[in-house]
Amino acid sequence: MALDSSTVEKIAHLARLGIDAKDVPEYARNLSDIFAFVEQLNAVDCSGVVPMAHPMEASQRLREDVVTEQNLRDKFQAHAPKVEVGLYLVPKVIE
Amino acid sequence: MHNKTLAELAAGLKAKTFSSEELTRHFLGRIERFDPKLNSFVTTTAEGALAQARAADASIAGGEVGPLLGIPYAHKDIFCTDGVRTSCGSKMLDNFIAPYNATVTSKLLAAGAVMLGKTNMDEFAMGSSNETSFYGPVKNPWNLDVVPGGSSGGSAAAVAARLAPAATGTDTGGSIRQPAALCNLTGIKPTYGRVSRYGMIAFASSLDQAGPMTRTAEDAAIMLGAMAGFDARDSTSIDRPVDDYRAALGNSLKGLKVGLPKEYFGEGLDPAVGAVVQTAIDELKKLGAEPVEITLPNTGLAVPTYYVVAPAECSSNLSRFDGVRFGYRCENPKDLEDLYKRSRGEGFGPEVKRRIMIGTYALSAGYYDAYYLKAQQVRHLIADDFKQAFEKVDVILGPTSPTVAFKIGEKFNDPVTMYLSDIYTIAVNLAGLPGMSIPAGFAHDLPVGLQLIGNYFDEARLLNVAHQYQQVSDWHQRSPAGFE
């Protein structure tokens, strides 16, 4: 399967990944090679095969619905790019 | 001191032949002297290490004993370490000082081990050569022109060059075993769920496992014993007691059924590597092991399956890096979308971007069934191959990697060829089984690794086989020239 440049741009947008326009053709080439390689899975007959969720068929453990973590907001926000009065700052979203 | 095993170092500390502070200074000195050649450390933590060493010396003086008490180690820079930069080999986390400890970090700290620093790695553990690191490639101490393997390449190079007596690694598709093979080390990836993933920066959550990288199987048993165990903070951790790995090392291999998958000895395997593995099989036969030819018919599907499952999980895991709460943020974003796109576009390297895009596409509307669901079905077939094999054999044996270490730059621009260098290790992660690599000899003047694969939670048996082999071979004692 060959991915064209516009598909690569679309995927990059979905992943919120900024890609230089000059790099798009190379990504298109690499990703096409990888998908061509992955395509051999299509030839495998998987009818009746259950998708594997966990090697030991374990399911997610549940815990009591109680607070177990301490509030470490200040510590966690100390390395945030931009904070003010305990809030994370981002560019203006609503006009 | 730097040629001693963990067991020998612990005995030396106990007998007060040397102190932990002396030992730590010795390794820090070696890092300062030799690491400029290798680039195996991203961060050294000399001050913290000396403080931990002095604390260990005080404990030892007070009569405390422990297999890792006062023993230095190198920590892969994927494990969060409170107060220390944890970069995961990425520009995205170049400024990230972890605010908490990974469970593995806490366990080693509690065992009294002394962290020398954080080791270089492929960016977010995505690579097989350590060339994708933001901090530059790591060199293989056996030949500075070749790769050390990846993604735990810094850990491998550091232990191989005797800059640390042991190191931690993580393995999503072979990232402990392949660098161990390429650098002449012993490395074990435990059963999925055996070691906690809490605080270990996630790449592909259904495949990631942590394990030790050491020179001997006995040392791996010591390290794994300290790292393993149930952890309520990892929802996929398995609640089951940890075996006494050292206690099983002495067991005889008489009658041990060793499966040799014919798919692991066919096309693509360098004949010189194959010959080394054959010699090791003959050696095991002398110890009483019985080789049995087996088949793992879906082996060829493992790499394509992995390159759907791992990128899909990676695209989801790495969506947390958004330039808002931690990590890299671009300059002067004009709006929120620009903030996300440029922070991620500038913060991630090309291989990480490729994998995020593969995963995003494979999970996108209309393609989920064709890619992700299909891959998870094939994954079941791969796991079933092993299940059937383990009805007939006790362990499975083969090469760890189809070739010895390749030249830096050789495969860098050809992702599919690079991915195929993990052909023998990837299926083990897909099935969730434990796997190990041990030194088995040399081909083209570079180390060759022998891979041992065990049934679920059979780490003790793998370590036992490796230890018995190391009693009759000395490959694991060879060290690279130029680092004396």
Side-chain angles (χ1 to χ4, degrees):
Chain A
M1 189 191 63
L3 261 64
D4 56 21
S5 292
S6 71
T7 312
V8 169
E9 282 162 1
K10 194 183 143 210
I11 303 170
H13 170 71
L14 286 174
R16 298 295 184 269
L17 213 48
I19 304 265
D20 276 349
K22 67 169 173 44
D23 295 334
V24 170
E26 200 191 332
Y27 279 114
R29 213 167 29 248
N30 289 158
L31 296 185
S32 298
D33 285 352
I34 295 164
F35 277 107
F37 173 69
V38 160
E39 215 119 279
Q40 52 185 299
L41 297 180
N42 293 343
V44 187
D45 179 10
C46 285
S47 42
V49 180
V50 182
M52 187 166 140
H54 188 282
M56 276 144 279
E57 314 290 339
S59 54
Q60 295 279 300
R61 254 177 300 106
L62 298 177
R63 61 166 176 81
E64 292 290 307
D65 186 14
V66 291
V67 176
T68 53
E69 300 294 320
Q70 300 160 276
N71 182 3
L72 297 173
R73 187 179 72 179
D74 293 345
K75 190 175 184 189
F76 292 162
Q77 286 194 335
H79 54 252
K82 236 174 184 173
V83 286
E84 205 175 288
V85 291
L87 303 170
Y88 293 97
L89 295 191
V90 295
K92 199 161 149 188
V93 180
I94 302 163
E95 289 301 325
Chain B
M1 272 192 283
H2 53 269
N3 281 315
K4 292 191 190 307
T5 64
L6 297 186
E8 288 163 352
L9 290 176
L13 287 170
K14 196 178 163 199
K16 302 201 169 60
T17 315
F18 42 81
S19 69
S20 175
E21 185 173 345
E22 284 165 337
L23 192 58
T24 302
R25 284 189 191 280
H26 180 71
F27 280 106
L28 288 170
R30 288 184 62 79
I31 294 169
E32 203 174 304
R33 185 167 155 218
F34 292 112
D35 202 47
K37 277 205 263 191
L38 297 173
N39 196 28
S40 68
F41 281 84
V42 171
T43 306
T44 46
T45 49
E47 216 172 290
L50 290 169
Q52 285 174 351
R54 283 183 213 110
D57 283 329
S59 301
I60 293 165
E64 221 177 288
V65 286
L68 290 177
L69 182 58
I71 307 269
Y73 78 102
H75 208 18
K76 186 176 180 179
D77 207 16
I78 196 169
F79 294 99
C80 283
T81 310
D82 197 358
V84 176
R85 175 175 64 171
T86 300
S87 74
C88 220
S90 182
K91 181 180 177 185
M92 182 60 86
L93 292 177
D94 182 50
N95 63 0
F96 179 63
I97 311 292
Y100 69 105
N101 277 330
T103 296
V104 168
T105 310
S106 305
K107 278 178 165 277
L108 291 171
L109 191 64
V114 173
M115 188 182 83
L116 297 167
K118 309 289 296 283
T119 56
N120 204 343
M121 54 181 284
D122 278 298
E123 185 177 7
F124 285 103
M126 297 176 200
S128 311
S129 65
N130 226 293
E131 293 169 287
T132 72
S133 170
F134 174 61
Y135 303 97
V138 176
K139 313 285 172 62
N140 188 320
W142 290 91
N143 176 342
L144 299 176
D145 295 329
V146 304
V147 304
S151 65
S152 312
S155 289
V159 179
R162 277 58 174 155
L163 308 189
T168 56
T170 61
D171 190 315
T172 304
S175 286
I176 288 174
R177 290 160 290 158
Q178 184 251 20
L182 271 39
C183 290
N184 203 46
L185 298 180
T186 301
I188 183 165
K189 177 206 94 74
T191 307
Y192 183 75
R194 180 69 296 181
V195 174
S196 171
R197 293 182 298 106
Y198 177 76
M200 187 176 112
I201 296 171
F203 158 17
S205 305
S206 78
L207 304 165
D208 298 342
Q209 261 295 291
M213 302 175 79
T214 57
R215 298 213 304 274
T216 68
E218 185 183 25
D219 287 356
I222 293 168
M223 281 282 280
L224 183 59
M227 293 167 73
F230 173 68
D231 180 13
R233 295 182 154 196
D234 171 359
S235 67
T236 59
S237 176
I238 304 280
D239 193 357
R240 173 186 166 118
V242 177
D243 293 330
D244 183 347
Y245 299 123
R246 274 176 109 174
L249 293 175
N251 293 351
S252 158
L253 302 190
K254 211 167 160 25
L256 181 89
K257 298 248 183 315
V258 178
L260 307 175
K262 64 175 200 270
E263 294 81 2
Y264 285 34
F265 293 89
E267 203 191 327
L269 176 64
D270 177 342
V273 171
V276 167
V277 173
Q278 189 53 53
T279 308
I281 295 168
D282 294 341
E283 210 52 58
L284 287 169
K285 272 204 307 218
K286 286 187 214 154
L287 294 172
E290 296 169 15
V292 182
E293 190 174 302
I294 58 165
T295 175
L296 300 168
N298 293 298
T299 295
L301 297 173
V303 180
T305 301
Y306 179 87
Y307 279 96
V308 175
V309 174
E313 296 182 9
C314 128
S315 73
S316 167
N317 272 322
L318 271 61
S319 64
R320 65 171 61 100
F321 301 104
D322 57 4
V324 175
R325 292 158 301 152
F326 51 83
Y328 177 80
R329 170 183 282 206
C330 67
E331 297 283 341
N332 305 316
K334 67 177 187 335
D335 55 30
L336 190 58
E337 187 171 302
D338 186 46
L339 166 70
Y340 291 149
K341 284 189 173 173
R342 280 202 294 125
S343 297
R344 290 164 61 78
E346 293 164 17
F348 293 136
E351 179 62 18
V352 171
K353 284 186 216 167
R354 271 200 287 266
R355 297 202 196 188
I356 290 175
M357 287 196 277
I358 299 166
T360 302
Y361 188 72
L363 293 175
S364 63
Y367 295 100
Y368 177 86
D369 285 3
Y371 289 107
Y372 190 69
L373 203 71
K374 181 82 184 197
Q376 291 287 63
Q377 285 177 310
V378 177
R379 188 174 174 184
H380 221 146
L381 299 177
I382 291 165
D384 285 346
D385 281 356
F386 283 108
K387 199 170 166 189
Q388 277 162 26
F390 281 119
E391 283 166 13
K392 291 186 281 234
V393 301
D394 301 307
V395 295
I396 294 172
L397 180 154
T400 305
S401 182
T403 65
V404 293
F406 43 89
K407 286 237 159 67
I408 293 173
E410 187 183 319
K411 299 185 183 182
F412 191 60
N413 293 315
D414 185 355
V416 173
T417 306
M418 180 76 88
Y419 296 171
L420 284 168
S421 64
D422 291 331
I423 187 154
Y424 304 132
T425 49
I426 267 178
V428 175
N429 299 76
L430 290 168
L433 294 163
M436 182 164 189
S437 182
I438 56 171
F442 289 77
H444 317 292
D445 298 321
L446 287 167
V448 171
L450 179 75
Q451 183 176 216
L452 297 163
I453 303 167
N455 211 337
Y456 297 111
F457 295 103
D458 224 359
E459 287 82 4
R461 197 197 302 256
L462 295 184
L463 291 160
N464 165 222
V465 176
H467 181 72
Q468 289 302 312
Y469 176 73
Q470 290 179 349
Q471 300 310 297
V472 296
S473 63
D474 64 357
W475 303 115
H476 61 288
Q477 289 166 358
R478 308 284 173 101
S479 55
F483 298 92
E484 284 78 17

